[in-house]
């Protein structure tokens, strides 16, 4: 019997069907995962009580190290895939981050890769046997792709997204799909399909968004390398909230064909696709593999730039690397919470002690105006496609959907002439900001105005959307955690505006206890390789572990 069209069913029944299907895929895991009746605030200790030592060792390995072992047969692809399937299934029970597991297809794929290695004596490609997790709106042939909208539940693509074909050709194993929010335009992950994806380290807090399923899964090590997308912070917010690495690349560097979303074809603020990983090496491996595959041949809108392997950091005549790092302590609109300021101060003090590194303060340039520009260009149709996709099924509006679409005073339907004028303002602002760089190599700044936010409160995008507007690559790296013993409330602070007051009132250290605190490293447009190299060098020199939380 053919399924009924969505408009003859209630949104609740559609959501229930999706949840039942997800649970059925998790039930296929062998050996079965136990039910967890009591969930503590920090869910990460439960992992060691259920997974075997070998499963823990595999899933907590660096992705580059895993590829090395898989490529020589020290570990089998089947062994690694099964370990990640079990940990991903457990992650779902702890933080609600999975839309479906793909155990049958993943194990068949892993078996093929093991046979290939035995037969040919060499790996199939640079990602041979590596399990990679996928945000749900990145299309997989034959699997539903709803982009967070109940009304889109029966959409099934006939082909893989371009990026997945490249990764599969390189030897990857696709084994899990992850949650996303209604509209794909939240800095948290909540939908009427699956509810809220929470933070592994403090379940009262958000995993971030819109790639929050990826962030939570990687944060709890149910994945070591996953694919997210970003138009206003959707890779960096989840990476930061969950204490892992995430890169927003320069636009048109990685393949974008095959994503399910509204407003496809708009060119004013271009979304990007990028990695979320447990390590910086994982980020590098992801980028290098994709760009070395020359994706611009199939997708000609992409930039035909090869991945640069030579050092891009300046050096003194004696060979000492020199870096000028500018710090944004506060964007002039919303002041960061004390844990973020502490992280900035800690890193800055360590940087100043490194020969060849100069640290200066960066004066933010009209970041409030930048938000006016970008929020005016996000929904040039007045949000009509987003609103129609929500309302046509009768599903309720999530709080942050209301915030960005109906409470945002800059959401207006633009005429063609108005669109041109706002695009001129965007380009003018980009030119003015570029002129401020001088000899600065890297900007260091917050990822958000606090650590992982409380549910339904992530209303300030400025620390991430700023770099989408400018189209600068930005890399998130973890630093520390919120510590109530040292991160007290700034009691004498007087908020400067309504947004600042809202953020200030959210903070008490007890609410955010244990949440990861991460920072964002920003480069000029097309400096993707330089940013990765710079952070790698800085990690080595300042001796900070960039805390491994699990």
């Amino acid at each position: 019997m053919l399924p009924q069209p969505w408009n003859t069913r209630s949104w609740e029944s559609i959501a229930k069907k999706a949840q039942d299907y997800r649970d059925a895929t998790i039930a296929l895991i062998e050996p079965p995962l136990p039910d967890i009746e009591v969930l503590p605030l920090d869910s990460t200790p439960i992992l060691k009580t259920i997974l075997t030592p070998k499963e823990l060792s595999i899933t907590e390995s660096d992705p580059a190290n895993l590829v090395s072992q898989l490529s020589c047969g020290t570990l089998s692809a089947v062994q690694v895939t099964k370990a990640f399937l079990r940990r991903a299934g457990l992650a779902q029970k702890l933080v609600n981050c999975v839309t479906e597991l793909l155990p049958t297809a993943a194990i068949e794929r892993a078996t093929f890769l093991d046979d290939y290695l035995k037969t040919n004596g060499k790996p199939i490609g640079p990602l041979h046997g590596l399990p990679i997790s996928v945000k749900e709106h990145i299309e997989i042939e034959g699997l539903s792709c709803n982009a967070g909208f109940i009304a889109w539940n029966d959409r099934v693509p006939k082909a893989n997204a371009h990026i997945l074909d490249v990764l599969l050709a390189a030897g990857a194993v696709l084994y899990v799909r992850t949650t996303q929010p209604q509209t794909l335009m939240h800095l948290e992950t909540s939908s009427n399909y699956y509810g809220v994806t929470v933070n592994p380290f403090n379940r009262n807090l958000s995993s971030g968004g819109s790639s929050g399923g990826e962030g939570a899964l990687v944060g709890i090590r149910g994945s070591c390398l996953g694919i997210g997308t970003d138009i206003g912070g959707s890779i960096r917010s989840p990476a930061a909230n969950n204490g892992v690495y995430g890169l927003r690349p320069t636009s048109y560097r990685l393949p974008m064909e095959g994503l399910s979303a509204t407003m496809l074809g708009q060119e004013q603020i271009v979304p990007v696709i990028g990695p979320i990983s447990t390590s910086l090496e994982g980020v590098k491996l992801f980028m290098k593999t994709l760009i070395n595959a020359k994706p611009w041949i199939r997708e000609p809108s992409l930039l035909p730039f090869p991945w640069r392997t030579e050092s891009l950091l300046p050096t003194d005549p004696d060979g000492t690397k020199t870096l000028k790092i500018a710090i944004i302590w506060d964007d002039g609109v919303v002041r960061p919470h004390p844990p973020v300021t502490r992280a900035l101060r800690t890193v800055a003090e360590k940087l100043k002690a490194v020969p060849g590194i100069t640290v200066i303060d960066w004066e933010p340039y009209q970041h409030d105006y930048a938000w006016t520009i970008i929020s005016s260009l996000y929904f040039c149709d007045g949000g009509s496609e987003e609103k129609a996709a929500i309302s046509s099924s009768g599903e309720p509006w999530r709080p942050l959907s209301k915030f960005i679409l109906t409470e945002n005073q800059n959401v207006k339907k633009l005429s063609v002439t108005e669109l041109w004028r706002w695009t001129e303002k965007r380009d003018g602002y980009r030119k003015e900001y570029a002129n401020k760089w001088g000899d600065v190599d890297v900007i260091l700044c917050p990822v958000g105005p606090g650590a992982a936010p409380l549910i339904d409160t992530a209303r300030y995008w400025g620390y991430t959307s700023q770099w989408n507007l400018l189209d600068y690559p930005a890399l998130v790296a973890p630093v520390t955690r919120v510590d109530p013993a040292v991160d007290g409330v700034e009691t004498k602070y007087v908020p400067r505006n309504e947004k600042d007051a809202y953020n200030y009132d959210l903070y008490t250290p007890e609410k955010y206890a244990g949440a990861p605190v991460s920072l964002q490293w920003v480069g000029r447009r097309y400096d993707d390789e330089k940013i990765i190299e710079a952070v790698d060098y800085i990690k080595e020199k300042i001796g900070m572990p960039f805390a491994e939380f699990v």
Side-chain angles (χ1 to χ4, degrees), residues 311-316 320-327 356-360 362 434 436-444 467 472-475 520-535 537-538:
S311 176
L312 299 172
L313 302 186
T315 57
D316 278 341
T320 301
K321 294 185 187 296
T322 61
L323 275 172
K324 190 169 186 178
I325 299 172
I327 297 181
I357 291 182
T358 303
V359 178
I360 65 169
W362 182 277
K436 287 176 56 64
W437 276 83
D439 58 352
V440 167
D441 295 293
V442 178
I443 297 172
L444 173 63
W467 315 118
Y472 290 169
L475 174 66
Q520 186 173 203
W521 304 81
V522 181
R524 296 175 192 252
R525 204 173 187 191
Y526 311 124
D527 268 358
D528 306 60
E529 297 95 330
K530 184 177 180 180
I531 284 294
I532 293 173
E533 183 187 2
V535 175
Y537 178 74
I538 289 162

Short mmCIF file of all heavy atoms in Angstrom, two decimals, residues 311-316 320-327 356-360 362 434 436-444 467 472-475 520-535 537-538:
data_model
loop_
_atom_site.label_atom_id
_atom_site.label_comp_id
_atom_site.label_asym_id
_atom_site.label_seq_id
_atom_site.Cartn_x
_atom_site.Cartn_y
_atom_site.Cartn_z
N SER A 311 54.17 26.11 3.37
CA SER A 311 53.87 26.95 4.53
C SER A 311 53.42 28.34 4.07
O SER A 311 54.00 28.94 3.17
CB SER A 311 55.10 27.08 5.43
OG SER A 311 54.83 27.96 6.50
N LEU A 312 52.37 28.83 4.70
CA LEU A 312 51.83 30.15 4.37
C LEU A 312 52.06 31.16 5.48
O LEU A 312 51.63 32.31 5.39
CB LEU A 312 50.32 30.03 4.10
CG LEU A 312 49.94 29.12 2.92
CD1 LEU A 312 48.44 28.93 2.86
CD2 LEU A 312 50.47 29.68 1.61
N LEU A 313 52.75 30.74 6.55
CA LEU A 313 53.02 31.66 7.65
C LEU A 313 54.30 32.45 7.38
O LEU A 313 55.30 31.88 6.91
CB LEU A 313 53.16 30.88 8.97
CG LEU A 313 51.96 30.03 9.39
CD1 LEU A 313 52.20 29.44 10.77
CD2 LEU A 313 50.67 30.83 9.37
N PRO A 314 54.30 33.76 7.67
CA PRO A 314 55.52 34.55 7.46
C PRO A 314 56.63 34.10 8.41
O PRO A 314 56.36 33.57 9.49
CB PRO A 314 55.06 35.98 7.77
CG PRO A 314 53.84 35.83 8.62
CD PRO A 314 53.19 34.56 8.21
N THR A 315 57.88 34.32 8.00
CA THR A 315 59.02 33.94 8.83
C THR A 315 60.06 35.06 8.87
O THR A 315 60.17 35.87 7.94
CB THR A 315 59.71 32.66 8.29
OG1 THR A 315 60.10 32.89 6.93
CG2 THR A 315 58.76 31.48 8.33
N ASP A 316 60.83 35.09 9.95
CA ASP A 316 62.00 35.96 10.05
C ASP A 316 63.13 35.37 9.22
O ASP A 316 63.08 34.20 8.82
CB ASP A 316 62.45 36.06 11.52
CG ASP A 316 61.63 37.07 12.30
OD1 ASP A 316 60.98 37.93 11.66
OD2 ASP A 316 61.61 37.00 13.54
N THR A 320 62.32 31.78 12.06
CA THR A 320 61.27 31.81 13.08
C THR A 320 59.96 32.29 12.47
O THR A 320 59.92 33.32 11.79
CB THR A 320 61.66 32.75 14.23
OG1 THR A 320 62.88 32.29 14.81
CG2 THR A 320 60.57 32.79 15.31
N LYS A 321 58.90 31.53 12.70
CA LYS A 321 57.60 31.95 12.17
C LYS A 321 57.12 33.18 12.92
O LYS A 321 57.27 33.28 14.14
CB LYS A 321 56.59 30.81 12.29
CG LYS A 321 56.93 29.60 11.42
CD LYS A 321 55.84 28.56 11.47
CE LYS A 321 56.25 27.29 10.74
NZ LYS A 321 56.45 27.50 9.30
N THR A 322 56.56 34.12 12.18
CA THR A 322 56.04 35.35 12.78
C THR A 322 54.55 35.47 12.50
O THR A 322 54.12 35.27 11.36
CB THR A 322 56.77 36.59 12.22
OG1 THR A 322 56.56 36.66 10.80
CG2 THR A 322 58.26 36.52 12.50
N LEU A 323 53.81 35.75 13.53
CA LEU A 323 52.37 35.89 13.39
C LEU A 323 51.92 37.13 14.14
O LEU A 323 52.33 37.36 15.28
CB LEU A 323 51.65 34.69 13.98
CG LEU A 323 51.45 33.44 13.11
CD1 LEU A 323 50.90 32.30 13.96
CD2 LEU A 323 50.51 33.74 11.96
N LYS A 324 51.08 37.92 13.49
CA LYS A 324 50.45 39.04 14.16
C LYS A 324 48.98 38.68 14.36
O LYS A 324 48.24 38.49 13.40
CB LYS A 324 50.58 40.32 13.36
CG LYS A 324 50.15 41.56 14.14
CD LYS A 324 50.54 42.84 13.40
CE LYS A 324 50.25 44.07 14.25
NZ LYS A 324 50.67 45.32 13.55
N ILE A 325 48.58 38.56 15.62
CA ILE A 325 47.24 38.11 15.98
C ILE A 325 46.49 39.25 16.64
O ILE A 325 46.96 39.84 17.61
CB ILE A 325 47.32 36.90 16.93
CG1 ILE A 325 48.06 35.74 16.23
CG2 ILE A 325 45.92 36.45 17.34
CD1 ILE A 325 48.37 34.58 17.14
N ALA A 326 45.32 39.56 16.10
CA ALA A 326 44.48 40.62 16.65
C ALA A 326 43.31 39.98 17.40
O ALA A 326 42.68 39.04 16.90
CB ALA A 326 43.96 41.52 15.54
N ILE A 327 43.02 40.48 18.59
CA ILE A 327 41.98 39.90 19.42
C ILE A 327 40.76 40.81 19.48
O ILE A 327 40.87 42.01 19.75
CB ILE A 327 42.49 39.64 20.85
CG1 ILE A 327 43.63 38.61 20.82
CG2 ILE A 327 41.36 39.13 21.75
CD1 ILE A 327 44.19 38.27 22.18
N GLY A 356 58.22 35.70 18.16
CA GLY A 356 57.71 35.82 16.80
C GLY A 356 56.22 36.11 16.71
O GLY A 356 55.73 36.48 15.66
N ILE A 357 55.51 35.96 17.83
CA ILE A 357 54.07 36.23 17.82
C ILE A 357 53.80 37.58 18.48
O ILE A 357 54.26 37.85 19.58
CB ILE A 357 53.27 35.13 18.55
CG1 ILE A 357 53.31 33.83 17.73
CG2 ILE A 357 51.81 35.55 18.75
CD1 ILE A 357 52.51 32.68 18.32
N THR A 358 53.08 38.42 17.77
CA THR A 358 52.66 39.73 18.28
C THR A 358 51.16 39.71 18.47
O THR A 358 50.42 39.25 17.59
CB THR A 358 53.03 40.85 17.28
OG1 THR A 358 54.45 40.81 17.04
CG2 THR A 358 52.65 42.21 17.82
N VAL A 359 50.71 40.20 19.62
CA VAL A 359 49.27 40.23 19.93
C VAL A 359 48.83 41.68 20.08
O VAL A 359 49.45 42.46 20.81
CB VAL A 359 48.97 39.46 21.23
CG1 VAL A 359 47.48 39.53 21.55
CG2 VAL A 359 49.40 37.99 21.08
N ILE A 360 47.79 42.04 19.35
CA ILE A 360 47.23 43.38 19.45
C ILE A 360 45.72 43.28 19.64
O ILE A 360 45.14 42.20 19.47
CB ILE A 360 47.53 44.23 18.20
CG1 ILE A 360 46.83 43.64 16.96
CG2 ILE A 360 49.03 44.38 17.97
CD1 ILE A 360 46.84 44.55 15.74
N TRP A 362 41.95 44.24 18.37
CA TRP A 362 41.24 44.60 17.13
C TRP A 362 40.03 45.46 17.49
O TRP A 362 39.22 45.08 18.33
CB TRP A 362 40.79 43.34 16.41
CG TRP A 362 40.10 43.58 15.09
CD1 TRP A 362 38.79 43.89 14.90
CD2 TRP A 362 40.68 43.51 13.79
NE1 TRP A 362 38.52 44.02 13.56
CE2 TRP A 362 39.66 43.80 12.85
CE3 TRP A 362 41.96 43.23 13.32
CZ2 TRP A 362 39.88 43.79 11.48
CZ3 TRP A 362 42.18 43.24 11.95
CH2 TRP A 362 41.16 43.53 11.04
N ALA A 434 38.16 44.92 4.83
CA ALA A 434 39.44 44.42 4.30
C ALA A 434 40.55 45.44 4.49
O ALA A 434 41.71 45.07 4.72
CB ALA A 434 39.28 44.08 2.82
N LYS A 436 41.10 47.25 6.94
CA LYS A 436 41.53 47.33 8.32
C LYS A 436 42.62 46.32 8.67
O LYS A 436 43.27 46.43 9.71
CB LYS A 436 40.34 47.08 9.28
CG LYS A 436 39.34 48.22 9.37
CD LYS A 436 38.17 47.87 10.24
CE LYS A 436 38.56 47.44 11.64
NZ LYS A 436 39.23 48.50 12.44
N TRP A 437 42.83 45.32 7.83
CA TRP A 437 43.73 44.22 8.19
C TRP A 437 45.18 44.64 8.37
O TRP A 437 45.84 44.21 9.30
CB TRP A 437 43.66 43.10 7.14
CG TRP A 437 42.51 42.16 7.35
CD1 TRP A 437 41.22 42.35 6.96
CD2 TRP A 437 42.54 40.91 8.02
NE1 TRP A 437 40.45 41.28 7.34
CE2 TRP A 437 41.23 40.37 7.99
CE3 TRP A 437 43.55 40.17 8.64
CZ2 TRP A 437 40.91 39.13 8.55
CZ3 TRP A 437 43.23 38.93 9.20
CH2 TRP A 437 41.93 38.43 9.16
N GLY A 438 45.69 45.47 7.46
CA GLY A 438 47.10 45.82 7.55
C GLY A 438 47.96 44.56 7.51
O GLY A 438 47.80 43.70 6.64
N ASP A 439 48.87 44.41 8.49
CA ASP A 439 49.75 43.24 8.51
C ASP A 439 49.28 42.17 9.50
O ASP A 439 50.05 41.29 9.89
CB ASP A 439 51.19 43.65 8.84
CG ASP A 439 51.31 44.36 10.17
OD1 ASP A 439 50.28 44.67 10.78
OD2 ASP A 439 52.46 44.60 10.61
N VAL A 440 48.02 42.23 9.90
CA VAL A 440 47.46 41.20 10.78
C VAL A 440 47.30 39.90 10.00
O VAL A 440 46.85 39.90 8.85
CB VAL A 440 46.10 41.65 11.37
CG1 VAL A 440 45.37 40.49 12.03
CG2 VAL A 440 46.31 42.79 12.36
N ASP A 441 47.68 38.79 10.63
CA ASP A 441 47.55 37.48 9.99
C ASP A 441 46.27 36.77 10.38
O ASP A 441 45.64 36.11 9.54
CB ASP A 441 48.74 36.59 10.39
CG ASP A 441 50.05 37.11 9.85
OD1 ASP A 441 50.23 37.09 8.62
OD2 ASP A 441 50.90 37.53 10.66
N VAL A 442 45.90 36.86 11.65
CA VAL A 442 44.77 36.08 12.18
C VAL A 442 44.02 36.94 13.19
O VAL A 442 44.62 37.69 13.96
CB VAL A 442 45.28 34.81 12.89
CG1 VAL A 442 44.11 34.02 13.49
CG2 VAL A 442 46.06 33.93 11.94
N ILE A 443 42.69 36.82 13.19
CA ILE A 443 41.85 37.41 14.23
C ILE A 443 41.40 36.30 15.17
O ILE A 443 40.95 35.24 14.73
CB ILE A 443 40.63 38.12 13.63
CG1 ILE A 443 41.05 39.30 12.74
CG2 ILE A 443 39.69 38.62 14.73
CD1 ILE A 443 39.88 39.93 11.97
N LEU A 444 41.52 36.55 16.46
CA LEU A 444 41.03 35.63 17.49
C LEU A 444 39.84 36.28 18.17
O LEU A 444 39.92 37.43 18.61
CB LEU A 444 42.13 35.34 18.52
CG LEU A 444 41.73 34.52 19.75
CD1 LEU A 444 41.27 33.12 19.35
CD2 LEU A 444 42.90 34.44 20.73
N TRP A 467 31.38 36.80 10.00
CA TRP A 467 32.35 36.25 9.05
C TRP A 467 31.68 35.63 7.84
O TRP A 467 32.30 35.50 6.78
CB TRP A 467 33.26 35.26 9.78
CG TRP A 467 33.72 35.83 11.10
CD1 TRP A 467 33.48 35.33 12.34
CD2 TRP A 467 34.45 37.06 11.30
NE1 TRP A 467 34.02 36.16 13.31
CE2 TRP A 467 34.61 37.23 12.71
CE3 TRP A 467 34.97 38.03 10.45
CZ2 TRP A 467 35.27 38.32 13.26
CZ3 TRP A 467 35.63 39.13 11.01
CH2 TRP A 467 35.78 39.26 12.39
N TYR A 472 34.85 35.20 5.29
CA TYR A 472 36.17 34.85 5.81
C TYR A 472 36.14 33.41 6.35
O TYR A 472 35.16 33.03 7.00
CB TYR A 472 36.58 35.77 6.95
CG TYR A 472 36.91 37.20 6.58
CD1 TYR A 472 37.06 38.16 7.57
CD2 TYR A 472 37.08 37.60 5.26
CE1 TYR A 472 37.37 39.48 7.27
CE2 TYR A 472 37.38 38.91 4.94
CZ TYR A 472 37.52 39.85 5.96
OH TYR A 472 37.83 41.16 5.65
N PRO A 473 37.19 32.64 6.13
CA PRO A 473 37.26 31.32 6.77
C PRO A 473 37.43 31.49 8.28
O PRO A 473 38.15 32.39 8.74
CB PRO A 473 38.49 30.69 6.14
CG PRO A 473 39.35 31.84 5.72
CD PRO A 473 38.39 32.94 5.33
N ALA A 474 36.77 30.63 9.04
CA ALA A 474 36.83 30.72 10.50
C ALA A 474 36.88 29.32 11.09
O ALA A 474 36.04 28.48 10.76
CB ALA A 474 35.63 31.49 11.03
N LEU A 475 37.86 29.10 11.96
CA LEU A 475 38.10 27.80 12.55
C LEU A 475 37.87 27.86 14.06
O LEU A 475 38.44 28.70 14.74
CB LEU A 475 39.54 27.36 12.27
CG LEU A 475 40.03 26.07 12.93
CD1 LEU A 475 39.28 24.87 12.38
CD2 LEU A 475 41.52 25.91 12.71
N GLN A 520 37.41 31.26 18.28
CA GLN A 520 37.31 31.27 16.82
C GLN A 520 38.51 32.00 16.23
O GLN A 520 38.83 33.12 16.64
CB GLN A 520 36.00 31.97 16.44
CG GLN A 520 35.62 31.98 15.00
CD GLN A 520 34.24 32.56 14.76
OE1 GLN A 520 33.61 32.28 13.77
NE2 GLN A 520 33.75 33.37 15.67
N TRP A 521 39.15 31.35 15.30
CA TRP A 521 40.31 31.92 14.59
C TRP A 521 39.88 32.25 13.17
O TRP A 521 39.41 31.39 12.44
CB TRP A 521 41.46 30.91 14.59
CG TRP A 521 41.85 30.46 15.96
CD1 TRP A 521 41.23 29.49 16.70
CD2 TRP A 521 42.92 30.96 16.76
NE1 TRP A 521 41.87 29.36 17.92
CE2 TRP A 521 42.91 30.24 17.99
CE3 TRP A 521 43.90 31.94 16.56
CZ2 TRP A 521 43.83 30.48 18.99
CZ3 TRP A 521 44.82 32.17 17.58
CH2 TRP A 521 44.78 31.45 18.77
N VAL A 522 40.06 33.50 12.77
CA VAL A 522 39.51 34.01 11.51
C VAL A 522 40.63 34.52 10.62
O VAL A 522 41.57 35.18 11.08
CB VAL A 522 38.51 35.15 11.79
CG1 VAL A 522 37.91 35.67 10.48
CG2 VAL A 522 37.40 34.69 12.73
N GLY A 523 40.53 34.21 9.33
CA GLY A 523 41.52 34.68 8.37
C GLY A 523 40.88 35.47 7.25
O GLY A 523 39.66 35.55 7.13
N ARG A 524 41.72 36.01 6.40
CA ARG A 524 41.21 36.70 5.22
C ARG A 524 40.55 35.70 4.27
O ARG A 524 40.78 34.50 4.35
CB ARG A 524 42.35 37.41 4.47
CG ARG A 524 43.04 38.53 5.23
CD ARG A 524 44.20 39.02 4.38
NE ARG A 524 45.09 39.89 5.12
CZ ARG A 524 45.19 41.19 4.95
NH1 ARG A 524 44.42 41.81 4.07
NH2 ARG A 524 46.06 41.91 5.65
N ARG A 525 39.77 36.22 3.37
CA ARG A 525 39.11 35.38 2.38
C ARG A 525 40.14 34.53 1.62
O ARG A 525 41.20 35.04 1.23
CB ARG A 525 38.36 36.29 1.39
CG ARG A 525 37.20 35.61 0.68
CD ARG A 525 36.43 36.64 -0.13
NE ARG A 525 35.22 36.08 -0.71
CZ ARG A 525 34.49 36.69 -1.61
NH1 ARG A 525 34.83 37.90 -2.03
NH2 ARG A 525 33.40 36.13 -2.10
N TYR A 526 39.83 33.26 1.46
CA TYR A 526 40.65 32.26 0.78
C TYR A 526 41.87 31.80 1.60
O TYR A 526 42.71 31.06 1.09
CB TYR A 526 41.13 32.74 -0.60
CG TYR A 526 40.02 33.30 -1.45
CD1 TYR A 526 40.10 34.59 -1.96
CD2 TYR A 526 38.88 32.55 -1.73
CE1 TYR A 526 39.07 35.13 -2.72
CE2 TYR A 526 37.85 33.08 -2.49
CZ TYR A 526 37.95 34.37 -2.97
OH TYR A 526 36.92 34.89 -3.72
N ASP A 527 41.97 32.21 2.85
CA ASP A 527 43.10 31.80 3.69
C ASP A 527 42.80 30.53 4.49
O ASP A 527 43.30 30.35 5.60
CB ASP A 527 43.47 32.93 4.67
CG ASP A 527 44.53 33.85 4.11
OD1 ASP A 527 45.00 33.61 2.99
OD2 ASP A 527 44.89 34.82 4.81
N ASP A 528 42.01 29.63 3.94
CA ASP A 528 41.62 28.41 4.66
C ASP A 528 42.84 27.62 5.14
O ASP A 528 42.92 27.22 6.30
CB ASP A 528 40.76 27.52 3.76
CG ASP A 528 39.56 28.25 3.18
OD1 ASP A 528 39.75 29.25 2.47
OD2 ASP A 528 38.43 27.83 3.44
N GLU A 529 43.80 27.37 4.23
CA GLU A 529 44.98 26.60 4.60
C GLU A 529 45.81 27.34 5.65
O GLU A 529 46.35 26.72 6.58
CB GLU A 529 45.85 26.33 3.36
CG GLU A 529 45.17 25.48 2.30
CD GLU A 529 44.50 26.30 1.21
OE1 GLU A 529 44.05 27.43 1.51
OE2 GLU A 529 44.43 25.83 0.08
N LYS A 530 45.92 28.65 5.52
CA LYS A 530 46.72 29.42 6.45
C LYS A 530 46.14 29.39 7.86
O LYS A 530 46.88 29.30 8.84
CB LYS A 530 46.83 30.88 5.97
CG LYS A 530 47.74 31.76 6.83
CD LYS A 530 47.86 33.15 6.26
CE LYS A 530 48.76 34.02 7.12
NZ LYS A 530 48.88 35.40 6.57
N ILE A 531 44.81 29.44 7.96
CA ILE A 531 44.17 29.40 9.28
C ILE A 531 44.45 28.06 9.96
O ILE A 531 44.79 28.00 11.16
CB ILE A 531 42.65 29.62 9.14
CG1 ILE A 531 42.36 31.10 8.90
CG2 ILE A 531 41.90 29.15 10.37
CD1 ILE A 531 42.72 31.98 10.07
N ILE A 532 44.32 26.98 9.22
CA ILE A 532 44.59 25.65 9.79
C ILE A 532 46.05 25.56 10.23
O ILE A 532 46.37 25.10 11.34
CB ILE A 532 44.24 24.54 8.79
CG1 ILE A 532 42.73 24.51 8.55
CG2 ILE A 532 44.73 23.18 9.29
CD1 ILE A 532 42.30 23.56 7.46
N GLU A 533 46.97 26.02 9.38
CA GLU A 533 48.39 25.98 9.72
C GLU A 533 48.69 26.84 10.95
O GLU A 533 49.45 26.45 11.84
CB GLU A 533 49.24 26.43 8.54
CG GLU A 533 50.74 26.34 8.81
CD GLU A 533 51.60 26.94 7.71
OE1 GLU A 533 51.04 27.49 6.73
OE2 GLU A 533 52.84 26.89 7.86
N ALA A 534 48.09 28.03 10.99
CA ALA A 534 48.34 28.94 12.11
C ALA A 534 47.88 28.34 13.43
O ALA A 534 48.60 28.38 14.45
CB ALA A 534 47.64 30.27 11.86
N VAL A 535 46.68 27.76 13.45
CA VAL A 535 46.17 27.18 14.70
C VAL A 535 47.00 25.97 15.10
O VAL A 535 47.28 25.75 16.29
CB VAL A 535 44.67 26.83 14.57
CG1 VAL A 535 44.17 26.10 15.81
CG2 VAL A 535 43.85 28.10 14.34
N TYR A 537 50.18 25.56 14.53
CA TYR A 537 51.42 26.10 15.07
C TYR A 537 51.21 26.69 16.47
O TYR A 537 52.01 26.47 17.38
CB TYR A 537 51.94 27.19 14.12
CG TYR A 537 53.20 27.87 14.57
CD1 TYR A 537 54.42 27.22 14.51
CD2 TYR A 537 53.18 29.18 15.05
CE1 TYR A 537 55.59 27.85 14.92
CE2 TYR A 537 54.33 29.82 15.46
CZ TYR A 537 55.53 29.14 15.40
OH TYR A 537 56.68 29.77 15.81
N ILE A 538 50.11 27.41 16.64
CA ILE A 538 49.81 28.03 17.94
C ILE A 538 49.58 26.96 19.00
O ILE A 538 50.07 27.07 20.13
CB ILE A 538 48.58 28.96 17.80
CG1 ILE A 538 48.96 30.20 16.98
CG2 ILE A 538 48.03 29.36 19.16
CD1 ILE A 538 47.78 30.95 16.43
#
